[in-house]
């Protein structure tokens, strides 16, 4: 009779282990999705900050800044170069620059 109880118990143990695994997998998927959302928001916020600083320079000085370094030195722009790569392409001083922000990850 003791052996019979053990035989009835193992399907429940397997079912419980599968349920725990399903919960952990679901949590991991939700966590990675929210991480991607935060990364996209960070990229958008940095792009907007670069655009805003460039427009401010144009309004104050009458030209778009020649480089990101100019914005960092004169307008307080801060870029986390460990996490993001910013492409800042200037065609002419009176035309808004092309700005692209990418994640390094």
């Amino acid at each position: 009779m003791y052996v019979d109880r053990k035989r009835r118990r193992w399907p429940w143990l397997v079912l419980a282990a599968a349920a725990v695994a399903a919960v952990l997998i679901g949590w991991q998927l939700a966590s990675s999705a929210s991480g991607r959302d935060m990364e996209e928001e960070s990229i958008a916020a940095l792009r907007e900050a670069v655009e805003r600083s460039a427009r401010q320079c144009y309004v104050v000085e009458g030209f778009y800044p020649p480089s990101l370094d100019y914005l960092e030195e004169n307008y307080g722009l801060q870029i986390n170069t460990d996490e993001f790569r910013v492409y800042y392409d200037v065609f002419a001083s009176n035309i808004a620059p092309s700005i692209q922000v990418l994640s390094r990850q």
Side-chain angles (χ1 to χ4, degrees):
M1 199 181 271
Y2 181 71
V3 173
D4 199 25
R5 285 185 189 169
K6 281 190 175 183
R7 286 185 186 166
R8 281 189 259 155
R9 209 180 295 169
W10 78 267
W12 291 105
L13 293 175
V14 171
L15 186 61
V20 168
V23 168
L24 291 174
I25 290 170
W27 178 75
Q28 180 65 30
L29 291 174
S31 175
S32 66
S34 78
R36 281 191 304 270
D37 291 343
M38 286 179 51
E39 183 179 356
E40 290 173 8
E41 288 177 14
S42 296
I43 288 171
L46 179 56
R47 186 173 197 285
E48 289 173 18
V50 173
E51 289 175 349
R52 189 177 332 107
S53 296
R55 280 193 308 270
Q56 183 180 10
C57 177
Y58 186 77
V59 168
V60 171
E61 300 184 36
F63 61 88
Y64 285 102
S67 68
L68 284 173
D69 292 334
Y70 189 87
L71 288 174
E72 289 176 326
E73 292 170 10
N74 298 300
Y75 289 89
L77 181 66
Q78 295 180 356
I79 298 172
N80 183 347
T81 56
D82 293 335
E83 290 188 32
F84 301 104
R85 178 174 287 152
V86 179
Y87 295 98
Y88 184 87
D89 187 30
V90 178
F91 177 72
S93 65
N94 62 341
I95 297 176
S98 172
I99 300 166
Q100 185 179 14
V101 179
L102 301 173
S103 173
R104 287 191 180 260
Q105 297 175 358

mmCIF file of all heavy atoms in Angstrom, residues 12 68 80 84 101:
data_model
loop_
_atom_site.group_PDB
_atom_site.id
_atom_site.type_symbol
_atom_site.label_atom_id
_atom_site.label_comp_id
_atom_site.label_asym_id
_atom_site.label_seq_id
_atom_site.Cartn_x
_atom_site.Cartn_y
_atom_site.Cartn_z
ATOM 1 N N TRP A 12 1.549 14.321 -9.879
ATOM 2 C CA TRP A 12 1.295 15.649 -9.315
ATOM 3 C C TRP A 12 2.584 16.445 -9.178
ATOM 4 O O TRP A 12 2.601 17.661 -9.397
ATOM 5 C CB TRP A 12 0.606 15.533 -7.953
ATOM 6 C CG TRP A 12 -0.794 15.017 -8.103
ATOM 7 C CD1 TRP A 12 -1.240 13.765 -7.813
ATOM 8 C CD2 TRP A 12 -1.914 15.728 -8.618
ATOM 9 N NE1 TRP A 12 -2.573 13.643 -8.099
ATOM 10 C CE2 TRP A 12 -3.012 14.854 -8.597
ATOM 11 C CE3 TRP A 12 -2.109 17.018 -9.089
ATOM 12 C CZ2 TRP A 12 -4.270 15.224 -9.043
ATOM 13 C CZ3 TRP A 12 -3.367 17.392 -9.518
ATOM 14 C CH2 TRP A 12 -4.427 16.493 -9.491
ATOM 15 N N LEU A 68 28.244 67.165 -32.403
ATOM 16 C CA LEU A 68 27.706 66.834 -31.081
ATOM 17 C C LEU A 68 28.578 67.426 -29.974
ATOM 18 O O LEU A 68 28.068 67.839 -28.931
ATOM 19 C CB LEU A 68 27.618 65.319 -30.896
ATOM 20 C CG LEU A 68 26.483 64.615 -31.617
ATOM 21 C CD1 LEU A 68 26.629 63.109 -31.474
ATOM 22 C CD2 LEU A 68 25.152 65.073 -31.091
ATOM 23 N N ASN A 80 25.243 59.226 -23.061
ATOM 24 C CA ASN A 80 25.871 58.034 -22.491
ATOM 25 C C ASN A 80 26.413 57.204 -23.654
ATOM 26 O O ASN A 80 25.703 56.405 -24.253
ATOM 27 C CB ASN A 80 24.855 57.235 -21.678
ATOM 28 C CG ASN A 80 25.466 56.036 -21.006
ATOM 29 O OD1 ASN A 80 26.582 55.631 -21.310
ATOM 30 N ND2 ASN A 80 24.726 55.452 -20.084
ATOM 31 N N PHE A 84 24.693 54.220 -25.990
ATOM 32 C CA PHE A 84 24.104 54.704 -27.241
ATOM 33 C C PHE A 84 25.179 55.194 -28.201
ATOM 34 O O PHE A 84 26.217 55.702 -27.796
ATOM 35 C CB PHE A 84 23.127 55.860 -26.962
ATOM 36 C CG PHE A 84 22.017 55.475 -26.040
ATOM 37 C CD1 PHE A 84 22.028 55.873 -24.720
ATOM 38 C CD2 PHE A 84 20.960 54.706 -26.489
ATOM 39 C CE1 PHE A 84 21.009 55.515 -23.865
ATOM 40 C CE2 PHE A 84 19.936 54.330 -25.634
ATOM 41 C CZ PHE A 84 19.962 54.745 -24.317
ATOM 42 N N VAL A 101 19.878 57.748 -33.471
ATOM 43 C CA VAL A 101 20.352 57.190 -32.205
ATOM 44 C C VAL A 101 20.128 55.682 -32.230
ATOM 45 O O VAL A 101 19.043 55.214 -32.534
ATOM 46 C CB VAL A 101 19.604 57.807 -31.002
ATOM 47 C CG1 VAL A 101 20.080 57.198 -29.700
ATOM 48 C CG2 VAL A 101 19.784 59.323 -30.978
#
